[in-house]
Amino acid sequence: MVSRRSLLAATGVTGVAAATSPLWARPFIAHADEATPDTCELVLENSGGGNLNAYITGHEFGTDKWLLVKADSSKYYLQDTSTPQTPLPEDCSIPVGASTSVTLPRMYGARIYFVRDDKLEFFVNPGPALVEPAFATSADANFHKVWSFCEFTFNDQQLFANISYVDLVTGLPIGMTLEGDGSHTVDPLPGDALDKIASDLKAQASADGKPWDKLILTGDGGGLLRAVSPQGLGSDNFGDYWNSYVDQVWQKYAGEDLKVDIQGGGGVFTGRVSGDTLTFNDGYAFGKPNTADIFTCNSGPFANNPSDPDPKKGILARLAAAFNRSTLLDFPDQPGGPAPSDFYKGDITNHWARIVHAHSPIGYAFPYDDVVGDGDPDQSGAANDGNPRRWTVKAG
């Protein structure tokens, strides 16, 4: 089973037929020899002017080693250290002109970072493990810099990439075009999106008294630096925010069926609440989620356990999406009942995702934002191709 979360973290994804979301239920066409090329041309573009540096980080597919790709397309492999927070001993920055090309090797759990008018500082922990920039920690060496990233995995089956707002939105928007057997373009945020998102977060905090305004981070001079998601800031800041909504959902489905279609031919599963447990046929059970479980989609009943059967993972993804979009009380058929116009209508909802989508053309605002009903438009801004030839990523 393939999801954004598992694909970006896994080494050996082998297909997309039985996925956690409709993105992966769509036909997947690999090229003739059923394996991707060993490399792909990566074109980095500076669409905003000024000085721009890029960094390519991730794990090497096949060896699992941490590596960074340098400006001359060579690989820098992390060397082990006995001291936590050891500065990365080599400058792996890639100066980005109007258009700069490098050769991208197969990598997974990978990111392309961009930073404006500066360089990023990376560190190494024993293992070795790469310590990447922290966006919500003011003591981090990169906190006051203007930077952003996109995510990708390039393995033997496909190159999968996405523009993610799961953690943060910055004033350095990223867009991309992936060319291979097809062509897929993901547009960047408009230039004024961060200002509008910050304004709407403040308005929501005034409306419901919850700390949405705390998601807005400012620099030393008080200027707007970035906005971070509830899970990026720490879901504990929202206390029991989701509790009353969860209680209503549990009460509703104690008396009627909740049907979840895991799509891609996986079938429809019927659930009922008994006590504190929502149980579907074949025994797939979920306890009551709390606020952190819903915002992160990766704890409590929504914990991602690799050993879980595929159907349970499929149900989990759709339940998590329905909670974040607050569609469960009005639509007992998921995910095909609600249309995108029905998302985020509840007073208690993921207002971060609502506001980000109001000001972005497309992109993940929570981990399962690729869940939609069959035939509904993609919300997530992901691109994938089994025969990638050129991947153009622009920032500015």
Side-chain angles (χ1 to χ4, degrees):
M1 181 169 293
V2 183
S3 68
R4 167 188 169 275
R5 182 187 301 278
S6 63
L7 183 58
L8 292 170
T11 62
V13 173
T14 57
V16 295
T20 60
S21 76
L23 172 67
W24 300 112
R26 298 169 191 165
F28 173 68
I29 302 173
H31 65 300
D33 62 4
E34 296 298 326
T36 61
D38 292 332
T39 62
C40 175
E41 180 187 9
L42 172 62
V43 181
L44 304 172
E45 294 185 355
N46 181 356
S47 59
N51 294 319
L52 188 71
N53 283 298
Y55 299 82
I56 304 170
T57 71
H59 299 269
E60 184 174 51
F61 179 75
T63 70
D64 300 337
K65 294 179 179 178
W66 268 108
L67 68 87
L68 291 89
V69 180
K70 299 174 66 176
D72 62 358
S73 300
S74 63
K75 302 175 183 178
Y76 174 76
Y77 293 96
L78 251 61
Q79 304 301 305
D80 209 353
T81 177
S82 59
T83 306
Q85 295 287 317
T86 298
L88 188 72
E90 190 153 344
D91 183 358
C92 294
S93 61
I94 303 172
V96 181
S99 181
T100 302
S101 293
V102 297
T103 300
L104 187 70
R106 292 178 178 175
M107 303 172 66
Y108 72 92
R111 287 178 172 178
I112 301 174
Y113 285 89
F114 294 96
V115 59
R116 176 187 290 155
D117 297 328
D118 213 328
K119 289 188 176 182
L120 291 176
E121 296 182 49
F122 292 86
F123 301 87
V124 184
N125 278 345
L130 186 67
V131 181
E132 298 181 88
F135 48 83
T137 304
S138 59
D140 186 86
N142 301 291
F143 180 82
H144 293 286
K145 301 173 184 179
V146 179
W147 55 269
S148 191
F149 62 85
C150 64
E151 304 172 320
F152 74 95
T153 277
F154 177 24
N155 59 22
D156 59 348
Q157 291 291 309
Q158 63 182 313
L159 195 160
F160 169 92
N162 73 87
I163 307 298
S164 175
Y165 308 119
V166 168
D167 294 317
L168 75 162
V169 172
T170 78
L172 186 59
I174 296 173
M176 64 185 182
T177 297
L178 177 60
E179 300 169 85
D181 288 334
S183 180
H184 190 110
T185 296
V186 181
D187 292 325
L189 284 169
D192 60 352
L194 179 58
D195 289 330
K196 291 181 176 179
I197 288 168
S199 177
D200 284 0
L201 287 170
K202 291 178 182 177
Q204 185 59 43
S206 296
D208 66 9
K210 302 301 180 182
W212 302 102
D213 55 332
K214 303 301 183 186
L215 305 180
I216 304 164
L217 303 184
T218 57
D220 284 336
L224 179 58
L225 190 60
R226 63 184 65 95
V228 302
S229 69
Q231 74 174 60
L233 182 68
S235 300
D236 54 345
N237 288 278
F238 283 80
D240 60 359
Y241 175 73
W242 282 99
N243 286 19
S244 63
Y245 184 86
V246 172
D247 287 344
Q248 292 178 70
V249 170
W250 247 240
Q251 182 178 6
K252 176 181 176 70
Y253 293 110
E256 64 179 279
D257 291 340
L258 171 62
K259 295 183 180 295
V260 176
D261 185 351
I262 64 171
Q263 301 169 283
V268 177
F269 290 78
T270 301
R272 276 288 184 107
V273 168
S274 178
D276 286 337
T277 305
L278 171 61
T279 303
F280 291 84
N281 49 298
D282 295 341
Y284 302 126
F286 298 85
K288 277 188 172 183
N290 63 26
T291 295
D293 303 335
I294 292 171
F295 278 137
T296 67
C297 302
N298 191 26
S299 61
F302 295 155
N304 289 267
N305 298 312
S307 60
D308 281 346
D310 284 355
K312 184 174 183 180
K313 294 176 183 177
I315 297 169
L316 183 158
R318 288 155 181 82
L319 281 179
F323 269 108
N324 275 278
R325 294 165 175 162
S326 59
T327 59
L328 281 166
L329 291 178
D330 295 323
F331 298 95
D333 293 287
Q334 295 287 338
S341 59
D342 299 309
F343 298 169
Y344 313 114
K345 296 299 185 184
D347 291 335
I348 298 175
T349 193
N350 186 337
H351 287 290
W352 164 264
R354 175 184 66 79
I355 291 167
V356 166
H357 279 300
H359 300 293
S360 67
I362 200 166
Y364 280 92
F366 63 90
Y368 291 116
D369 214 356
D370 51 359
V371 170
V372 290
D374 294 336
D376 286 336
D378 176 38
Q379 305 293 299
S380 69
N384 68 297
D385 198 285
N387 184 25
R389 297 192 308 273
R390 180 183 296 108
W391 181 30
T392 302
V393 185
K394 60 182 179 180

